[in-house]
Amino acid sequence: MKLLSSVLCAGILATGVVANTPYMTPYIIEHDIEWKELNNWLWKFHYVAHGHRWNRAFGTSGDNETRELLVFRTRKLLRKHLDTTIQKFTHMYEHTKNITLTGPGGQNVSVMTLEYNHATPLPDGISAPLIDTPVDDERGSACFKDQWEGVDAAGKIVLVKRGKCAISDKLKLATAHGALAVVLYNQVPGNTTGPMPEIDSRGHVELTSGNITAATLGVGNVGKLVPVGLIGLHDGLAWSKRLAAGETFNVTLLVDAIAEEREGWNVIADTKRGSNESYIMIGAHYDSGPNSPGINDNATGVAVLLEIMRSIKKYIGNTSKVRYAFWGAGKKGQIGSLHYASQLTEDEADRIKFYINLDMIASPKPIYAIYADDDADKAGAEIMFKHLTTKQEQPFFYPSKPSYPAFYAKHGNTSDYVAFRKIGIPTSGFFTGGATENDECHGMRCDDLYNVVNKYGSLYSLEDIARAVGYTVASLAIDGSKIPPRKKTCGNPASKDGVLRTFEEWEDTRRMMEKERPCCGGSNVV
Ligand SMILES: *[C@@H]1O[C@H](CO)[C@@H](O)[C@H](O)[C@H]1NC(C)=O
Ligand SMILES: *[C@@H]1O[C@H](CO)[C@@H](O)[C@H](O)[C@H]1NC(C)=O
Ligand SMILES: *[C@@H]1O[C@H](CO)[C@@H](O)[C@H](O)[C@H]1NC(C)=O
Ligand SMILES: *[C@@H]1O[C@H](CO)[C@@H](O)[C@H](O)[C@H]1NC(C)=O
Ligand SMILES: *[C@@H]1O[C@H](CO)[C@@H](O)[C@H](O)[C@H]1NC(C)=O
Ligand SMILES: *[C@@H]1O[C@H](CO)[C@@H](O)[C@H](O)[C@H]1NC(C)=O
Ligand SMILES: *[C@@H]1O[C@H](CO)[C@@H](O)[C@H](O)[C@H]1NC(C)=O
Ligand SMILES: *[C@@H]1O[C@H](CO)[C@@H](O)[C@H](O)[C@H]1NC(C)=O
Ligand SMILES: *[C@@H]1O[C@H](CO)[C@@H](O)[C@H](O)[C@H]1NC(C)=O
Ligand SMILES: CC(=O)N[C@H]1CO[C@H](CO)[C@@H](O)[C@@H]1O
């Protein structure tokens, strides 16, 4: 059988002719999935990360190399089987390279940056007198206009306590009052870890340090605020006390930060076989977080797509086409998939019958969560559920595989199904659990190859899920008659033409990230 199918496959590659090609069945696809092929892809992504300071994050060279690998596979090697489109979008790339805060005695104060921070002049930073703002723990300090009355911030660096309102609100008021920069001090005790912020392996400043929680200024505020440094409560109170006692002194804040639009890409590959009137879609984001090789999150999802693709191409699928989507900038708030959905016409959206999302599907201590919120979602989810409830296999390499109970879970708002739910396409997907319970390495340097291939739980779930998804995609592509049509109204009585409005709002994905949009589930991304 193996030999026969590889001979057939070689025949197809050589001639592009499909004579004698067998018909696809769910069973055949499921049994074609091979662990060594999945493993092979994980190695490849591990080595891409290795060559790029252990990450494959949006806007970096590691992201580019990951995409090139996918394009080579789909557009070049499998060009006889697939029609591949590369869809470009732009999104804000940001990082802080350095941040320092020098006190009046020339001492270094431990300081953290915030996401989308603004740069000070370099190389000297901003040196100016420090002034205090009134503390208001009830309403939040420096959150409202009236709290700035009598504060002469012009040309100064302002000391502000964190808490209650968005940090960007405090910074907007500081900026409006002519401040040069803000020193924000934490509202709860706890210090940053060292005398200097931690510089990670890429030479970037970590967003988290010690036990002060990280925060973002929001992508929508880029270019609108003064630079800010976040310090511990202890240090903030000490300065506040000195200012209250009538002392005057200068501090120096240096922020070396970058925020700029960079290009991202979705790689979308359709099977040539099947009717162009209906598509079963399966997607995974291919970028990693900024400090991680991203093997469980999400080279695993990508590997499963590629392996299902390798299998499906060998057979005749005579009903729907299968569409594989490799999303860019998934970690940045599902930008790639939102962009994709925002560009679909009504007709194109109608033809997508079902979407299956794979994100983190080989956590070392896995749970088998299958997304489904309603019966429409269950039209696909149920097939996976049944498969995993009845057919978990005993792999040869492990003596006693536990059986992981599959269960239905509601979609959240942190992966690429969000965009599809917003336009009413039935969706499902898998999730094997995140930090810290199921994957201690989530988002970290240690989410590398060994986070998956050295851990039995990961190996099991990857293979189980690959088979279940392969089976399901084939089932739906052969017969999607049980899937209900796309929901075109969002169940929001306030919105007359919800879908149209949604599309309009999507014109600008950045604007969208800032907004709350109560349509078709899947709440907003921040
Ligand atoms: C479609 O494929 C199925 C197997 O997946 C096969 O049984 C059926 O005969 C095919 N139909 C046509 C019209 O080719
Ligand atoms: C990624 O690739 C694009 C297009 O090929 C290129 O313009 C960009 O500079 C590359 N980015 C990095 C960080 O290498
Ligand atoms: C950060 O800036 C300070 C002050 O200019 C400088 O002394 C230090 O070397 C810089 N650190 C890095 C990693 O560039
Ligand atoms: C403060 O940090 C800078 C850069 O790391 C270093 O060159 C300088 O000696 C430090 N100053 C003090 C007083 O520790
Ligand atoms: C404090 O900074 C201001 C510039 O904002 C400068 O004019 C002044 O000389 C500085 N004072 C000290 C003591 O460094
Ligand atoms: C902050 O971290 C230190 C050491 O890492 C720990 O001892 C302390 O309990 C933490 N404080 C808070 C408020 O979390
Ligand atoms: C923070 O660090 C200072 C020394 O820089 C120390 O005196 C203080 O106790 C620390 N506070 C906490 C809550 O860890
Ligand atoms: C679908 O395929 C048919 C036949 O190849 C073609 O005429 C038609 O334009 C295609 N429709 C779309 C929406 O691509
Ligand atoms: C995302 O979902 C979680 C839990 O379902 C919820 O607590 C959170 O507020 C949501 N976030 C946004 C931005 O909607
Ligand atoms: C944003 C991102 O891509 N990371 C996600 C990985 O998958 C899990 C489960 O969907 C999310 O919780 C993460 O945020």
Side-chain angles (χ1 to χ4, degrees):
M1 182 59 213
K2 270 273 136 56
L3 185 63
L4 178 64
S5 56
S6 57
V7 168
L8 285 171
C9 178
I12 292 164
L13 282 173
T15 63
V17 169
V18 294
N20 296 328
T21 306
Y23 280 111
M24 172 165 87
T25 68
Y27 180 87
I28 217 170
I29 299 304
E30 173 198 347
H31 286 273
D32 252 11
I33 303 290
E34 290 197 42
W35 159 248
K36 74 172 185 351
E37 298 286 338
L38 292 167
N39 187 35
N40 193 17
W41 284 114
L42 298 185
W43 272 99
K44 284 192 170 131
F45 297 121
H46 176 89
Y47 275 99
V48 170
H50 175 254
H52 300 274
R53 296 177 177 232
W54 292 113
N55 80 94
R56 302 179 295 108
F58 166 74
T60 69
S61 52
D63 185 41
N64 272 1
E65 198 173 319
T66 306
R67 166 176 47 90
E68 280 156 16
L69 212 64
L70 297 170
V71 171
F72 185 73
R73 177 73 181 166
T74 53
R75 182 174 262 186
K76 190 141 191 195
L77 291 182
L78 301 184
R79 67 184 177 283
K80 296 236 168 68
H81 305 275
L82 299 170
D83 295 314
T84 301
T85 340
I86 296 160
Q87 185 183 41
K88 190 162 95 173
F89 56 89
T90 58
H91 185 62
M92 195 65 78
Y93 170 82
E94 80 86 38
H95 76 246
T96 299
K97 292 184 219 162
N98 195 6
I99 182 166
T100 61
L101 179 62
T102 315
Q107 79 276 27
N108 291 320
V109 177
S110 181
V111 61
M112 278 169 67
T113 193
L114 301 174
E115 193 181 26
Y116 300 111
N117 203 352
H118 295 71
T120 60
L122 297 171
D124 297 327
I126 293 171
S127 220
L130 185 73
I131 58 156
D132 207 356
T133 48
V135 169
D136 182 343
D137 285 335
E138 210 140 287
R139 297 166 70 208
S141 309
C143 292
F144 302 96
K145 262 192 191 149
D146 63 279
Q147 295 168 323
W148 285 80
E149 273 163 27
V151 177
D152 178 19
K156 315 269 171 47
I157 295 178
V158 208
L159 187 64
V160 173
K161 190 176 182 185
R162 187 179 180 181
K164 295 283 179 186
C165 68
I167 294 172
S168 55
D169 289 349
K170 300 177 194 246
L171 289 183
K172 275 177 199 158
L173 287 165
T175 308
H177 283 80
L180 296 178
V182 169
V183 171
L184 185 74
Y185 62 100
N186 212 34
Q187 76 279 42
V188 293
N191 284 333
T192 55
T193 38
M196 288 293 290
E198 286 176 23
I199 311 277
D200 73 13
S201 60
R202 298 166 308 148
H204 297 178
V205 175
E206 298 262 22
L207 280 176
T208 51
S209 175
N211 44 25
I212 298 182
T213 51
T216 182
L217 297 172
V219 66
N221 289 317
V222 168
K224 295 182 187 161
L225 305 174
V226 291
V228 57
L230 173 58
I231 64 174
L233 178 64
H234 180 88
D235 290 331
L237 289 177
W239 276 353
S240 182
K241 213 179 212 172
R242 287 174 64 177
L243 293 170
E247 262 190 80
T248 56
F249 54 87
N250 280 12
V251 298
T252 304
L253 177 69
L254 175 143
V255 181
D256 185 359
I258 175 177
E260 63 182 25
E261 292 281 349
R262 290 204 181 170
E263 287 170 337
W265 292 265
N266 295 321
V267 180
I268 312 286
D270 293 348
T271 55
K272 285 192 191 282
R273 297 194 192 120
S275 153
N276 64 5
E277 289 303 314
S278 62
Y279 292 81
I280 302 301
M281 196 160 172
I282 165 174
H285 75 85
Y286 68 78
D287 58 325
S288 74
N291 301 314
S292 173
I295 298 304
N296 185 28
D297 183 9
N298 185 29
T300 55
V302 171
V304 168
L305 256 66
L306 290 163
E307 177 57 355
I308 291 174
M309 182 189 281
R310 186 188 66 87
S311 171
I312 284 184
K313 77 175 168 59
K314 295 190 273 182
Y315 307 101
I316 294 180
N318 52 20
T319 318
S320 296
K321 284 183 187 283
V322 177
R323 174 171 292 172
Y324 307 92
F326 301 94
W327 305 120
K331 291 299 285 184
K332 273 285 172 191
Q334 304 93 45
I335 301 306
S337 50
L338 285 168
H339 176 77
Y340 173 82
S342 74
Q343 300 297 306
L344 290 171
T345 63
E346 285 286 299
D347 263 4
E348 287 165 342
D350 283 342
R351 285 192 206 106
I352 300 171
K353 301 300 172 189
F354 203 88
Y355 175 72
I356 297 175
N357 191 68
L358 301 179
D359 199 356
M360 296 186 74
I361 52 169
S363 297
K365 294 175 193 149
I367 50 169
Y368 282 14
I370 302 173
Y371 294 119
D373 287 46
D374 56 23
D375 287 347
D377 296 343
K378 282 192 182 156
E382 198 172 57
I383 305 174
M384 294 193 264
F385 182 86
K386 279 193 186 137
H387 193 276
L388 282 176
T389 318
T390 54
K391 286 207 208 161
Q392 284 187 37
E393 281 177 35
Q394 174 68 52
F396 69 91
F397 50 76
Y398 190 55
S400 59
K401 176 185 183 299
S403 184
Y404 299 102
F407 62 95
Y408 291 122
K410 287 214 185 302
H411 291 85
N413 48 23
T414 58
S415 197
D416 297 295
Y417 45 71
V418 168
F420 292 86
R421 291 174 54 65
K422 284 202 185 277
I423 52 173
I425 292 173
T427 63
S428 183
F430 262 103
F431 179 47
T432 54
T436 50
E437 230 167 85
N438 311 100
D439 181 1
E440 286 171 357
C441 285
H442 185 216
M444 307 201 303
R445 162 65 187 84
C446 60
D447 183 17
D448 59 14
L449 183 68
Y450 309 105
N451 191 34
V452 175
V453 301
N454 281 356
K455 298 178 184 167
Y456 287 123
S458 302
L459 294 177
Y460 288 151
S461 50
L462 186 62
E463 200 171 338
D464 274 349
I465 291 169
R467 289 187 198 286
V469 174
Y471 185 92
T472 305
V473 169
S475 304
L476 295 175
I478 292 165
D479 178 6
S481 59
K482 292 215 181 85
I483 308 170
R486 182 165 77 91
K487 267 186 268 168
K488 299 201 191 188
T489 52
C490 296
N492 175 2
S495 83
K496 285 232 167 81
D497 193 348
V499 174
L500 185 64
R501 208 189 50 192
T502 305
F503 283 131
E504 279 164 6
E505 284 175 4
W506 284 351
E507 289 290 284
D508 183 343
T509 45
R510 271 181 299 142
R511 184 162 53 107
M512 170 170 172
M513 287 180 68
E514 298 296 299
K515 275 213 217 144
E516 204 64 47
R517 305 199 305 96
C519 190
C520 283
S523 41
N524 207 7
V525 230
V526 170

